[in-house]
Amino acid sequence: MPVSSKHYVLGNPMEGPWKEGLEVIIIANGCFWGSEKGMWRLPGGGIYSTAVGYAAGFTPNPTYEEACSGMTGSTEAVQVVYDPSKISVVDVLRWFWESHDPTQGMGQGNDRGTQYRSGLYYFTEEQKILCEKSKDAYESALKAKGKGPITTEIAPASNYPEVFYYGEDYHQQYLAKPGARPYCSAQPLQIALPAFETWAPAELSAFAPKLPDAFWDKHAPSPHCVIRSPNPPIEWP
């Protein structure tokens, strides 16, 4: 799938090989337009690149129409390339959990079908543990509010010959482009992920979040927040 060489908002490359020190995680939480914008807007220069595409399916190089048919097994997903020296994967995971309703099974809001299922696809053992532990913590927080259980699929990227296939270029950074339709099906529940110290193993303390509570108090996901927000990354001290 041909895509632009540079990210429309961040200006960095859209495809690897990535610079040494960068890491990748694949997230899926409904319509990929808003999911991608939420990720590229995280502050501090920690998000190096994002791309939308089709993940965790069994058909190579699917098109949008094929993914929407439900016959490829793919989910609309975002490839997040981040610099762990500037942002923690835990910050990425907190935005992921809080920016949608992970209890909706095969859909999100008005979008229904396997291509809209919630998913996390990891590349390292540390990512695996943090994905699973944060899921357990968020599920407990939801249960306390009478919601759940979480239906998010969590799987290693290695389960697939190729976990992520790029989507069409017109979908990339869609919500930042002139004439874009302001649409996002995400259903944020406005329930916070519990504090890192309450659920993360002590041996992974180096992955503590870099974004403080004050950031989340001001910028935590809320309904339609990505539609209403500016396109550049959030400015934060």
Side-chain angles (χ1 to χ4, degrees), residues 15-188:
E15 299 182 81
W18 307 110
K19 296 193 302 184
E20 185 176 354
L22 297 178
E23 296 190 5
V24 179
I25 191 168
I26 309 296
I27 64 114
N29 54 347
C31 171
F32 51 19
W33 294 344
S35 302
E36 184 189 22
K37 184 174 180 179
M39 286 295 163
W40 87 57
R41 294 196 73 241
L42 290 176
I47 303 300
Y48 182 78
S49 190
T50 60
V52 300
Y54 313 108
F58 41 78
T59 299
N61 297 300
T63 65
Y64 180 69
E65 290 74 18
E66 288 170 343
C68 288
S69 75
M71 298 296 289
T72 72
S74 306
T75 183
E76 291 192 17
V78 180
Q79 175 180 259
V80 182
V81 184
Y82 63 97
D83 183 344
S85 72
K86 296 179 179 179
I87 194 168
S88 172
V89 68
V90 174
D91 296 310
V92 172
L93 289 172
R94 179 165 180 175
W95 188 275
F96 166 80
W97 290 120
E98 295 187 22
S99 65
H100 75 305
D101 180 352
T103 73
Q104 291 195 13
M106 295 297 176
Q108 187 69 195
N110 293 326
D111 292 336
R112 310 306 301 174
T114 184
Q115 72 270 29
Y116 300 115
R117 71 187 186 273
S118 176
L120 285 170
Y121 308 98
Y122 56 83
F123 291 82
T124 69
E125 183 65 20
E126 292 81 6
Q127 285 181 351
K128 172 189 177 181
I129 296 169
L130 293 167
C131 287
E132 292 175 345
K133 294 293 186 181
S134 64
K135 179 255 185 184
D136 292 343
Y138 201 55
E139 192 165 54
S140 294
L142 296 186
K143 184 177 180 181
K145 299 290 186 178
K147 300 181 183 296
I150 285 176
T151 57
T152 301
E153 176 179 74
I154 299 177
S158 59
N159 273 10
Y160 309 89
E162 191 71 39
V163 68
F164 177 84
Y165 292 97
Y166 283 83
E168 292 80 352
D169 192 58
Y170 75 89
H171 284 302
Q172 306 297 338
Q173 298 87 62
Y174 174 83
L175 291 178
K177 293 177 177 176
R181 180 165 65 98
Y183 176 79
C184 178
S185 63
Q187 306 280 298

